[in-house]
Amino acid sequence: YFLAAHSHGCVPAWGLARRLAYRCLKLYPIGRRPPNGALVDDVWDIDRSTKLADLDNDFVLQRMLEAWPNPDLQQVQDTNPMCDPILKILKVVRRQYSSHVYPAGSQDAPGICSVDPQVEAPILAIAAEFEAPRGETPEKMKGWEAFTKRSCEVVTLDGLAHMEIIKSSRLHEFVINNMLKAAQLAGLEL
């Protein structure tokens, strides 16, 4: 299996890669620091995911856009009162980033990272060049090195931001070509 995931999907993909063990040939986290990366600490100044519930909507939205700029949301972020689509997005954000099942804070990480966090597969972490300082920078993505028993490489795709990278045909072509090479090295016929 090859596992590729973007942003918030990378931690579940890492968990699946751990379960698959040698059946996972390579893990591709795209635009996401590793599971112990203190995401909510950097973005919302909290150390546990569950504390997100205590923050007001304006602060959550402002910091979310500082970390992961989104031109569509930025156009309507100053709407007062907040428009319904933004309130729906914030509801999803709160559900995703405050789940006790999916830790994203420095005080949460030991719960999932303390016992053998390494996967058997090599990791190719892919960052976007234009990540914001609070976001998923190439420097933060280097932390994936501690999550594999094999090799880890961090590659930055030029000219892309966090939300653009997943839609990029350059990303798709790069990952597919890399998968084909890895399959060939593993002796798989495609």
Side-chain angles (χ1 to χ4, degrees):
Y1 295 95
F2 293 102
L3 297 175
H6 176 252
S7 195
H8 211 52
C10 292
V11 175
W14 160 75
L16 179 57
R18 285 177 63 199
R19 297 290 302 256
L20 289 171
Y22 289 102
R23 293 173 292 166
C24 180
L25 295 179
K26 200 159 198 177
L27 175 62
Y28 299 86
I30 302 161
R32 174 62 158 86
R33 67 193 82 192
N36 65 347
L39 185 143
V40 297
D41 304 54
D42 286 351
V43 177
W44 291 292
D45 299 327
I46 54 177
D47 60 1
R48 289 192 184 279
S49 299
T50 54
K51 293 181 180 179
L52 189 62
D54 300 332
L55 304 177
D56 74 22
N57 280 340
D58 290 323
F59 182 74
V60 171
L61 179 62
Q62 174 199 349
R63 287 298 188 84
M64 182 179 79
L65 292 175
E66 286 176 18
W68 310 291
N70 181 315
D72 295 329
L73 283 179
Q74 287 167 319
Q75 288 179 8
V76 293
Q77 84 179 70
D78 294 326
T79 307
N80 194 1
M82 280 190 184
C83 59
D84 196 47
I86 287 193
L87 291 172
K88 287 178 180 176
I89 289 167
L90 287 174
K91 186 176 180 180
V92 170
V93 167
R94 286 180 184 281
R95 187 171 56 239
Q96 286 183 335
Y97 289 94
S98 66
S99 170
H100 68 282
V101 177
Y102 187 135
S106 60
Q107 296 303 307
D108 300 322
I112 63 166
C113 297
S114 60
V115 179
D116 193 22
Q118 295 181 322
V119 297
E120 300 292 338
I123 295 175
L124 176 54
I126 304 168
E129 177 185 16
F130 297 126
E131 283 286 356
R134 288 189 190 275
E136 312 312 300
T137 64
E139 190 63 36
K140 291 174 188 169
M141 291 189 64
K142 287 180 183 175
W144 281 102
E145 292 170 351
F147 286 80
T148 180
K149 295 177 182 176
R150 310 259 313 273
S151 64
C152 180
E153 181 181 2
V154 178
V155 173
T156 302
L157 289 186
D158 297 336
L160 297 170
H162 183 79
M163 298 306 286
E164 297 167 338
I165 195 169
I166 197 62
K167 301 177 215 171
S168 167
S169 60
R170 282 189 299 135
L171 169 74
H172 303 156
E173 185 177 325
F174 176 76
V175 170
I176 289 169
N177 285 334
N178 190 275
M179 287 176 179
L180 290 172
K181 286 178 189 172
Q184 198 173 35
L185 287 172
L188 299 176
E189 290 186 36
L190 301 176

